[in-house]
Amino acid sequence: MKAIVAALAEQQAELSDLLSGLRDADWQRPSLCDGWTVADVVLHLAQTNELASASASGRMAEALDVLAGGRRRTGSVDDGADDLVARERG
C-alpha cells in the first residue's frame, strides 16, 4: 500500500508542476479530449479523485449524487463524466 500511495503522490506532484506555470488563457485552451478545455480535464481529474476517495470509504452513490446535483442520467461512463464536468465547469 505504501508503494501505491507513494506513486500517487509522485503523479500528483508531476501534475502540479505541469499546471503551476499555466496562465489564465492556458486553462481555456482546447485539450486532446474532444470538446474539453485544459480546465475541464483538470476538473475531471479532481472529480475522479473525489469519487475514488468516496468509493474507498463506502460512499460512492452519495458522492455521485452530490457531484451530479441529484440528476444522474443513464448512459456510458463517458456520458456521465461529461455531465459531471459540465455541471461544475467554470
Side-chain angles (χ1 to χ4, degrees):
M1 183 63 124
K2 287 182 182 182
I4 293 170
V5 172
L8 287 171
E10 198 174 301
Q11 288 178 352
Q12 291 291 329
E14 183 178 346
L15 179 62
S16 181
D17 286 345
L18 289 170
L19 299 175
S20 66
L22 294 182
R23 297 186 189 112
D24 289 344
D26 294 330
W27 289 93
Q28 299 310 313
R29 287 192 346 231
S31 74
L32 295 177
C33 300
D34 191 36
W36 282 14
T37 64
V38 171
D40 292 337
V41 173
V42 175
L43 173 58
H44 172 64
L45 292 173
Q47 290 170 334
T48 301
N49 284 350
E50 289 179 40
L51 292 175
S53 294
S55 179
S57 62
R59 300 178 305 103
M60 184 67 160
E62 174 189 341
L64 275 172
D65 283 341
V66 168
L67 282 175
R71 298 178 308 241
R72 282 194 274 163
R73 72 176 179 179
T74 57
S76 71
V77 171
D78 290 341
D79 291 339
D82 194 49
D83 286 347
L84 295 179
V85 167
R87 183 172 182 276
E88 292 192 321
R89 183 175 278 132

